Structure formats: structure tokens, C-alpha cells
Amino acid sequence: MQEKIRNIRSEFTKDVEAVADIGALEDLRIKYLGRKGIMTGLMSGLSSLPKEDKPAVGKELNSLKHYIQDQLQQKKGALSRQDKKGSERKIDITMPGILPHLGTKHPITQVLQEMNDIFISLGFSVVEGPEIEREFYNFEALNIPLEHPSRDAFDTFYIKGDILLRSHTSPVQIRIMEKTQPPIQAIVPGKVYRPDAVDASHSFMFHQVEGLMIAKGIKFSDLKGVLGLFTKRMFGEKTKTRFRPSFFPFTEPSAEVDISCFMCQGKGCRLCSHAGWLEVLGAGMVNPRVFEAVGYPPRKYTGFAFGIGVERIALLKYGIDDIRLFFENDTRFLEQF
Ligand code: PHE
């Protein structure tokens, strides 16, 4: 009898392992614990045993029954967990797909990268400088003394003492010259800040690309050549460039640079306010006083510098009439580029 009980236990263990679904498990339960099942048969066999064997065999039968009940219960749990996982993983391939929302580069970033690429192709390297600057770099070293009226044009946000937000990228000219001896050929893209009231053409923050080229014998014609190439690549091969006399304390002589209107080819239209020309940047030959401020030997080098407003270029390039659109972060606008 005891051997039979052991055999049934190991048989059941194999059976329960082999069960793969709830239906088969129920069949197994009936086979062992059902009214006409194996356990019932064994229990009824108990009565025909000699009296002294009954308690021991009865105990074993009970333990087998508990074992079977336990195993069935555990298997049931395992099967239903599997079932749940399976249904979670089920994929309905007939459902329409979900298109992930793809971002685009901000138009200012795109134009900035395009500008960088043009100057890189001309041999310029890209340098960056701090947006939080010292008064010395933003003004004095650039020949803009405290009492000079041109300081108004570059007025800025002061943070504390002589710490301010740079109002142009020109201070990085000084930082480059302090660290490097000529020849220098670099551009400086970055953000600048001015305490201007915001309107269609003004923003308290905008971007510039500064250019600086210094060596022995750099001439104004080199400046004209570089900027002429830049404007042609940016606005098309037919673009003409015009230099008008201007004033910046850190360049001498200085110029404002216009391009022929690419909308009307100079005939006059709404974009160029019927002038035929569009102003795009400021430039000039580096003032010897700037070389003096950074300690370069007198009269050894010459160079040119320019500063281009990135928003201005982007507004013209895309025919946008309000600078605020760039900073409102309305994706209906930004997604068009
Ligand atoms: N820093 C000038 C500005 O912000 C532009 C400029 C740069 C002019 C370099 C001349 C040379 O308006």
C-alpha cells in the first residue's frame, strides 16, 4: 500500500508538470480528487487493511491528498499569471500605427549653422565666448570708454558691479586676441542682450556671428572679398554687396554692409522698402587701439572684423516680418522650416 502511495505521488508530480492550460488542470483534478478518482479509490482501500496499519497509512493518504491539492492550486496560479502576460503582449497588427512626433531644428539654429558652414569653408574656425561678460571686454577694450556716447548703442543689462550680459559678440574678439597671436581667422556665433522694448524688429535677446581676421598685411579688400562671398552663398550668386561709411569705436574705417534686394534684384519692392538694398551687417578694419588694449606690438598687424545679426538674415531669407515669431515657440510656426 505504501509503495502504491509513493508511486501515485510521483505519477501525479509528472502529470501536473505536463499540464499546459486550465482545462487540462481541471481534468487532472478530477482524475485524482474526483468522486471516482484515484484518491477516493485509495481511501476506500483503507478499510480492508489490518487495524494496526490503518493510522500510518491513513496519515500518508492525507498527506498525499494535501500535496495534490497544494500542487493543483499552485499550478492554477502559475497558469493564470501566464495567461495575463500573454494577453498584455498581444499586438493587434490591424490597428493604425502611431506616428511619433518628429521635431525640427529651430530656424535660427538652421541659419546659424548655414552661416557657420560658409565661413568654415573659407577657413574660419568657430570660437565661443561667455554671455555673462565683464565691462572691460564689452566696452573698454573695444575702445568704448565709459563717457563715450556710442556706449548707448551697446547698452546692456547689468548683473552686479562690472558684470553684465554682453550686448554684442565683439568682446570675444578681445578674448581671442588675449590668448592667441596672429594669424587669426575665427568666427564667434552666440547670443547677445540689449535692454530694448520688444516689437516686430527688436528683441532683448538675439544672435550674432562675429568675424575676425588678423595677420600681417590684411586689407579692406580682403574684408570685401570675404563678405562678398558670404552674401552670395547665403542669398544667391546674383547678390551684390555695398559698403556704406559708418562708425564703430572698435573699427576704423567702419562700414554698414548692404546686399542688393534678392526679391526684386534691386528694382525696389516691399521687402527693401523700395530702396533696392537691404542692410545686413556692420564691419570694418580693427582699430589700432584694440590691438593696443590686448598688447599686440604697434603697427605689426592689420585685420578686419564684422558682426552679422542672425535674426536679420533669417527674417530676410524666409520673408518673415516679425522677429517675435522666432521666440514665441509656437510649433505651428516652427514646423514650417
Ligand atoms: N558689434 C557690432 C554690433 O553689435 C557689429 C560689428 C562687429 C561692427 C565687428 C564692426 C565689427 O553692432
Side-chain angles (χ1 to χ4, degrees):
M1 185 75 180
Q2 268 150 332
E3 194 177 333
K4 201 173 171 191
I5 291 173
R6 247 177 280 134
N7 287 341
I8 288 172
R9 186 187 263 261
S10 69
E11 199 183 313
F12 168 79
T13 306
K14 269 187 237 145
D15 281 356
V16 82
E17 259 171 39
V19 160
D21 57 67
I22 294 283
L25 191 70
E26 178 59 9
D27 290 346
L28 197 65
R29 189 189 67 78
I30 293 166
K31 177 177 167 191
Y32 283 89
L33 303 179
R35 216 149 37 86
K36 291 175 187 160
I38 292 169
M39 282 312 290
T40 317
L42 285 175
M43 290 292 194
S44 59
L46 199 60
S47 56
S48 57
L49 284 181
K51 202 175 163 204
E52 62 274 21
D53 289 348
K54 278 185 189 172
V57 176
K59 214 172 149 196
E60 276 186 51
L61 276 177
N62 256 329
S63 125
L64 175 62
K65 189 174 164 191
H66 283 135
Y67 172 73
I68 291 174
Q69 284 170 335
D70 253 29
Q71 291 294 304
L72 289 172
Q73 197 58 40
Q74 276 183 28
K75 186 76 182 185
K76 195 172 171 186
L79 284 175
S80 78
R81 273 197 300 278
Q82 245 177 40
D83 215 44
K84 217 165 139 199
K85 259 199 210 153
S87 66
E88 271 169 14
R89 239 188 266 124
K90 248 180 237 157
I91 293 168
D92 181 354
I93 56 163
T94 64
M95 293 275 282
I98 301 163
L99 201 62
H101 185 85
L102 279 187
T104 53
K105 275 189 192 155
H106 193 282
I108 293 300
T109 306
Q110 291 187 38
V111 171
L112 201 54
Q113 286 180 349
E114 206 180 315
M115 292 169 71
N116 286 352
D117 287 346
I118 295 171
F119 286 114
I120 289 167
S121 80
L122 296 174
F124 286 78
S125 52
V126 179
V127 179
E128 288 188 323
E131 289 171 28
I132 298 172
E133 224 354 322
R134 293 197 170 272
E135 213 166 22
F136 172 76
Y137 291 95
N138 200 73
F139 295 117
E140 274 85 3
L142 289 164
N143 191 35
I144 316 174
L146 190 56
E147 69 284 2
H148 198 281
S150 73
R151 195 140 176 168
D152 291 350
F154 298 104
D155 195 16
T156 187
F157 297 103
Y158 281 82
I159 295 172
K160 201 176 177 194
D162 77 325
I163 312 275
L164 46 77
L165 293 180
R166 68 180 179 194
S167 55
H168 48 174
T169 42
S170 301
V172 189
Q173 286 188 32
I174 305 298
R175 292 187 172 273
I176 294 172
M177 288 187 248
E178 276 182 345
K179 272 207 231 109
T180 344
Q181 290 296 312
I184 290 168
Q185 194 184 1
I187 54 162
V188 183
K191 290 184 169 68
V192 302
Y193 302 84
R194 293 194 190 169
D196 286 338
V198 175
D199 63 24
S201 53
H202 292 86
S203 168
F204 51 83
M205 184 284 298
F206 56 98
H207 298 75
Q208 289 186 332
V209 172
E210 190 85 7
L212 182 66
M213 186 158 175
I214 303 169
K216 284 183 186 157
I218 297 286
K219 299 184 292 292
F220 199 91
S221 52
D222 297 313
L223 171 63
K224 290 184 84 173
V226 166
L227 290 179
L229 254 164
F230 166 73
T231 54
K232 277 194 170 64
R233 295 244 185 109
M234 199 75 209
F235 294 103
E237 282 303 313
K238 292 209 183 94
T239 310
K240 289 199 216 74
T241 312
R242 176 174 86 168
F243 286 69
R244 274 183 294 114
S246 184
F247 173 78
F248 297 104
F250 34 93
T251 49
E252 181 60 32
S254 303
E256 300 279 354
V257 181
D258 302 336
I259 56 166
S260 56
C261 181
F262 51 87
M263 281 283 273
C264 61
Q265 265 73 43
K267 286 188 205 81
C269 67
R270 228 171 61 111
L271 181 65
C272 58
S273 315
H274 301 280
W277 295 94
L278 298 161
E279 186 185 318
V280 289
L281 61 102
M285 300 304 288
V286 178
N287 192 319
R289 290 210 172 184
V290 174
F291 290 148
E292 203 181 302
V294 297
Y296 280 1
R299 285 181 295 282
K300 188 166 180 189
Y301 303 110
T302 53
F304 64 71
F306 56 82
I308 311 173
V310 181
E311 279 74 7
R312 173 95 182 125
I313 300 283
L315 289 169
L316 291 174
K317 194 178 159 75
Y318 295 121
I320 298 164
D321 57 10
D322 195 327
I323 195 174
R324 287 170 291 198
L325 287 166
F326 288 134
F327 307 121
E328 279 167 357
N329 284 340
D330 186 336
T331 52
R332 289 169 304 179
F333 170 76
L334 297 174
E335 273 169 354
Q336 294 176 40
F337 300 92

